[in-house]
Amino acid sequence: MSFSADTKDELSRVIPPKGCCLRAQLAAMVRAGGSLRLLGSNQVVLSVDTESSAVARCLFNLFKTGFSLHPALAARRRERLRKNNTYKVTVNDPVASRRVLVELGIWDEGWHRRDDVPESLVARDCCRRAYLRGAFLAAGFVGAPLGSYHLEIMVADAAAAAAIYRLMEGYHLGAKVGPRKKGYSVYLKDGDEIVEFLKLVGASQATLEYERVRVVKQMRNRVNRLVNCDTANLSKTVEAALRQRETIGKLVQTVGYERLPQALRTTARLRLEYPEASLRELGALHDPPLTKSAVNHRLRRLTTMAEELERLQPGD
């Protein structure tokens, strides 16, 4: 199973502590994943679709506990080439369907669809958390933390997206809303905010796993940066040493060791004998040992002498 599926499986087992929380969670799930089938004048049948068997069981239990209903549960293969089933939870009684829609604040008493989420439905902190849990269960996705950080909830209309956005904003989550082909996405891209969302909706095991993988990922990235930095510094050191060896080699071939000052003569000989040694290592080879700064100063003098000699060569 994917990380997102595991998270939904865990959340589907969270039992809303109160009736108000149960209704808030169910309202979010119906808004995000519900559909209506018209039977006749003012008669509809309510269904909620999901790709998760755990979420389907959760819906069944919420309808049963909150409304004393026993909805029908059906599974079917979504597409010929897809292995996963989809599940449909249906309240077949038109009267019960209407009662559910009205009590969940999705319709008003006049059979008009409500775009807003009633304030009474999410008045308490526990209800707001339950609403976000329901929205994620019905239409959410969270990527595994080893990849890019991403959590989103896809809904069909802008009003539903705005409601979820406002609830997230109330918890200081920097959510963003963007249009998609089939609706609107409310999403988070920050790892800390995704962790906070998972805590809010009650996904304790998913939170721990997300944090654990994030720590491993951060450590791995840090090690890679250090290795890359060390590799780059080593490459620069070797390239500089090889350039110095080439330059000093030409100088020695032209004038010979004997025409160099004694101090520079020793440094030139050591650089030619140890072309890959660092400045610190070259300093240790001197007798008496020299500091890194002193070695660097001598090498610069030798390089300057070689450049001046090259400018004085006939034909240059």
Side-chain angles (χ1 to χ4, degrees):
M1 292 175 68
S2 67
F3 181 80
S4 188
D6 287 340
T7 303
K8 288 189 177 185
D9 186 68
E10 178 186 358
L11 288 177
S12 68
R13 302 174 194 277
V14 175
I15 301 174
K18 305 173 185 176
C20 58
C21 304
L22 184 151
R23 290 174 182 271
Q25 179 170 326
L26 185 55
M29 297 177 80
V30 171
R31 279 185 179 269
S35 61
L36 300 176
R37 179 163 56 90
L38 185 64
L39 294 183
S41 178
N42 293 336
Q43 287 193 327
V44 295
V45 166
L46 170 64
S47 297
V48 184
D49 294 289
T50 177
E51 295 184 4
S52 167
S53 60
V55 173
R57 289 192 297 270
C58 176
L59 280 163
F60 182 91
N61 291 329
L62 292 177
F63 279 120
K64 180 179 177 181
T65 304
F67 292 91
S68 300
L69 298 174
H70 289 77
L73 177 58
R76 64 186 177 87
R77 194 169 294 261
R78 186 176 182 183
E79 294 177 8
R80 184 180 301 174
L81 298 179
R82 295 189 63 163
K83 295 181 180 179
N84 295 336
N85 291 334
T86 58
Y87 303 87
K88 183 182 289 289
V89 181
T90 304
V91 179
N92 284 311
D93 184 352
V95 175
S97 292
R98 179 178 179 179
R99 178 165 65 93
V100 169
L101 292 169
V102 171
E103 292 191 24
L104 294 182
I106 297 171
W107 279 6
D108 61 22
E109 291 290 349
W111 281 70
H112 298 111
R113 182 178 181 275
R114 296 187 57 163
D115 290 331
D116 64 314
V117 175
E119 289 295 330
S120 59
L121 193 70
V122 289
R124 300 178 180 179
D125 176 67
C126 57
C127 297
R128 290 190 289 272
R129 292 169 182 251
Y131 192 94
L132 289 174
R133 184 189 310 124
F136 180 81
L137 279 170
F141 168 82
V142 58
L146 273 176
S148 59
Y149 300 132
H150 183 76
L151 181 147
E152 73 172 351
I153 299 173
M154 278 286 302
V155 289
D157 58 87
I164 296 169
Y165 170 82
R166 285 193 296 270
L167 289 176
M168 286 190 179
E169 191 178 39
Y171 290 106
H172 307 290
L173 299 176
K176 293 180 173 58
V177 179
R180 299 291 186 267
K181 287 183 179 180
K182 296 184 179 180
Y184 293 83
S185 171
V186 185
Y187 60 92
L188 299 170
K189 288 287 191 180
D190 181 81
D192 290 334
E193 292 182 343
I194 292 175
V195 167
E196 186 60 30
F197 179 90
L198 294 175
K199 290 179 183 177
L200 282 171
V201 298
S204 56
Q205 293 300 317
T207 300
L208 291 174
E209 179 62 14
Y210 204 92
E211 288 281 51
R212 184 192 70 79
V213 176
R214 274 214 308 161
V215 169
V216 172
K217 179 181 177 180
Q218 290 168 356
M219 289 290 292
R220 184 178 299 166
N221 289 342
R222 184 181 178 190
V223 169
N224 288 338
R225 284 195 298 270
L226 291 174
V227 169
N228 291 339
C229 182
D230 289 344
T231 301
N233 289 337
L234 179 60
S235 297
K236 290 179 182 179
T237 299
V238 171
E239 289 174 2
L242 292 176
R243 286 196 300 270
Q244 291 167 357
R245 184 175 184 272
E246 182 180 358
T247 301
I248 294 171
K250 291 180 180 179
L251 176 65
V252 171
Q253 288 178 359
T254 304
V255 302
Y257 280 114
E258 66 280 356
R259 295 183 59 184
L260 296 176
Q262 179 61 42
L264 299 185
R265 187 185 309 166
T266 302
T267 301
R269 179 180 57 78
L270 289 173
R271 170 48 82 202
L272 293 177
E273 290 181 6
Y274 302 95
E276 296 182 359
S278 66
L279 296 180
R280 191 181 304 279
E281 290 167 342
L282 278 181
L285 292 170
H286 284 74
D287 187 18
L290 298 179
T291 64
K292 179 180 176 180
S293 177
V295 173
N296 190 42
H297 177 70
R298 291 188 180 186
L299 290 173
R300 285 203 306 269
R301 287 182 60 192
L302 287 166
T303 301
T304 301
M305 291 174 62
E307 291 172 349
E308 291 177 350
L309 182 63
E310 186 175 356
R311 284 196 297 269
L312 296 174
Q313 291 294 320
D316 289 347

